[in-house]
Structures are given as C-alpha cells and as structure tokens.
Amino acid sequence: MDFGRVLTAMVTPFDSMGRLDLKKTEKLVTHLIDNGSEGLVLGGTTGESPTLTHDEKLQLFEYVVGLVDQEISVIGGAGYNDTSASAEFTKAAANTGLDGIMLVTPYYNKPNPAGLYYHFSTIARETTLPIMLYNIPGRSVINMPVDTTVELSKIDNIVSIKDASGDLHMMSDIIEQTSDDFSLYSGEDHLTLPSLAIGSHGVVSVASHIIGNQMQEMTQAYLEGEVTKAASLHRKWLPTMRACFMAPSPAPVKAALNYQGIDVGSVRGPLVDLSLEEFNQLKTILDT
C-alpha cells in the first residue's frame, strides 16, 4: 500500500468554544491538498488525539474522507493503550471509509515486546484495512524493538511504520530486515532527507502544514538524484521545521496556520497557546 511520499499529520481545527469545527476543517484540507500533501493522518499526536472523543474522531474521519473523495489517502489514528478498546475503535473507524489505520505504541502501561506483538497483532485481526504502526518513544515511553517491528511486518495488513524514534540506526535496521513492500516513514521532519538516504519511503510531517510544497520539492529532488539540491532545500527549511516544535506540538503549527490565514483555532488543555514571546519568534521565522 503506497500512502504517498509526503503525508501530513493534520491538526484538528476547533471553534472558539473548543469544539470540533468541520467548516474550518474543509478549508484546512483544501489548503493541504493544494500545498503538496499526498495523504492525511487524522487523530494522531498533532491532531490532539488524547483530547478527542471517539465520536469526534469518527465524525472527523468520515467528513475528511468525503471531502477528499479519494484524491489523496486518509489514515485514521485508532491506537489506545487498551488492546480491546483499540480493536473495537479500529472496527468502528474502518466503517468511515479510511484508507488505513495508524496504531501508536501503547503508552503508560509499558508492555514488553511480547505484549507489543500481542497488542498490534490482535488489532490487525479485527480489520482488513492497511495498518501503519507508530513508534514514538518520546510520548509513549517505550521504544519498540526492531525485532518486534520485523515480526509484525510479516502480518499481511501491517504494511508500514511511522518512526519518530529519531534513531537512524534503528530505522536502517527496520528497512533492511523487512520486505520491500513494507514502508518506513520518518515521523520527524528534520530527518526527512536523512531517512530518504537510508531507504525510507517518505515523511509523516507537521511542517508540511506550512511548507508542504517545499517538503515535496525536497523529496522529489532527492528521488530524482538531485542530492545537492535536496540538501540545500533541507538546510533552507530546517529553521521552519524546528519552529514547528518550539513549544509542545501542535501549538506552534496551529499558531503558524492562524497567522497565515488558515483558521484552525486554539489547542485543548492541558496544552496552551504560544506565549507572546514565542509567537513573535515564530513570526520572525515565518516572515523570513
């Protein structure tokens, strides 16, 4: 399953009361399609998944699937730290027309490798949709071992992994030890180009909200053998990539979108909006 090269981990737009705003969502999705996104990942970290209810996620999935009308791929985050709850929600999410499911490593309860295999394989049996694993030790505490990922990749509908470990050695081992039809996506914007160099398929990006076409240009330059150009673009846009994480995500990227006229509202607590000092720093980077 090829979800595309540049996927956007989409923010969830809220209205002034903090409720899911589908009108703002439509404008955001149009903006992302027009600016280089080949796929959208909904209800993930950047989408503030811990604060979204089941009903909000399902409503968001179904609405965006209808909006894009198969023009780009749509993946829905369905992972929880409860295997049974994840399996049940995955079945419900599959009915919204998604192209794939993303499942995060269980957070807080810290399963061992056997527990990780049990968790993901159990959920995989409950759907025929392609599954993207999501390894993000900075938020879930555990770092899924390479061996576990390799074993999971042998399950027919587990087709991909978003790796936000930041560990290029581990990413290299996953790419080397899995079949050619299993894809690895960088979950870190600043590692998009380095990960392509070791064989990743692309990126699940936050910065693509702001520099989607530029991320696409850099990726295509590398794939077409224009390595020097790709490296130059990487260096040029690295400050913007960093700026998207100057405060707990997605507060910076939501502020950047709002500043650029794409109204996505605020973040939900316990996250807070950027301070005035942070916002001024962000504006300086965006303006230059």
Side-chain angles (χ1 to χ4, degrees):
M1 175 68 189
D2 186 353
F3 297 119
R5 297 282 186 176
V6 177
L7 314 182
T8 297
M10 196 181 87
V11 302
T12 302
F14 299 130
D15 66 16
S16 60
M17 300 296 290
R19 298 169 298 203
L20 177 64
D21 192 317
L22 296 181
K23 196 169 193 179
K24 290 179 181 178
T25 299
E26 181 177 3
K27 185 175 180 180
L28 174 61
V29 169
T30 300
H31 163 77
L32 294 174
I33 292 174
D34 290 344
N35 286 275
S37 293
E38 298 170 79
L40 302 175
V41 179
L42 312 177
T45 305
T46 314
E48 298 177 74
S49 58
T51 72
L52 297 178
T53 67
H54 284 201
D55 287 346
E56 285 176 324
K57 288 182 182 178
L58 294 175
Q59 187 181 11
L60 180 66
F61 296 169
E62 187 168 19
Y63 185 73
V64 173
V65 166
L67 276 180
V68 306
D69 194 23
Q70 299 183 321
E71 184 176 350
I72 61 172
S73 59
V74 183
I75 301 168
Y80 296 93
N81 62 346
D82 177 333
T83 304
S84 178
S86 292
E88 288 303 310
F89 185 70
T90 294
K91 288 191 287 188
N95 293 326
T96 65
L98 292 168
D99 298 297
I101 295 290
M102 185 176 74
L103 299 175
V104 69
T105 45
Y107 40 88
Y108 190 76
N109 33 20
K110 298 175 70 173
N112 62 14
L116 288 169
Y117 186 86
Y118 167 79
H119 177 78
F120 290 118
S121 61
T122 298
I123 301 167
R125 286 195 295 270
E126 298 298 329
T127 184
T128 58
L129 280 178
I131 290 172
M132 174 185 284
L133 305 174
Y134 181 18
N135 186 35
I136 182 165
R139 289 181 183 259
S140 64
V141 181
I142 52 172
N143 190 11
M144 188 153 64
V146 171
D147 291 349
T148 306
T149 301
V150 172
E151 285 305 304
L152 287 166
S153 75
K154 298 173 184 176
I155 297 173
D156 286 345
N157 60 330
I158 296 182
V159 301
S160 186
I161 183 169
K162 174 186 176 183
D163 190 288
S165 69
D167 188 337
L168 286 169
H169 295 293
M170 191 169 77
M171 294 162 72
S172 296
D173 288 339
I174 292 171
I175 294 166
E176 179 66 20
Q177 295 176 37
T178 53
S179 64
D180 291 342
D181 58 0
F182 183 83
S183 58
L184 182 143
Y185 287 84
S186 172
E188 304 278 2
D189 281 299
H190 70 282
L191 291 181
T192 302
L193 184 57
S195 72
L196 286 170
I198 61 170
S200 77
H201 192 71
V203 62
V204 179
S205 173
V206 175
S208 55
H209 285 90
I210 310 302
I211 52 169
N213 284 329
Q214 294 87 340
M215 297 291 287
Q216 189 68 252
E217 182 185 14
M218 180 183 70
T219 299
Q220 293 305 318
Y222 178 81
L223 294 172
E224 292 166 10
E226 298 182 77
V227 178
T228 301
K229 177 182 177 181
S232 176
L233 290 168
H234 166 82
R235 295 190 302 271
K236 178 179 180 180
W237 296 110
L238 191 57
T240 305
M241 298 178 200
R242 289 175 176 151
C244 289
F245 297 94
M246 64 189 299
S249 184
V253 74
K254 276 195 158 182
L257 285 164
N258 289 330
Y259 177 61
Q260 295 187 336
I262 308 297
D263 183 7
V264 293
S266 185
V267 290
R268 282 179 172 174
L271 298 182
V272 293
D273 291 328
L274 298 187
S275 68
L276 181 59
E277 181 181 356
E278 290 169 333
F279 181 63
N280 286 333
Q281 291 174 4
L282 178 66
K283 278 201 304 182
T284 299
I285 292 168
L286 294 176
D287 289 344
T288 55

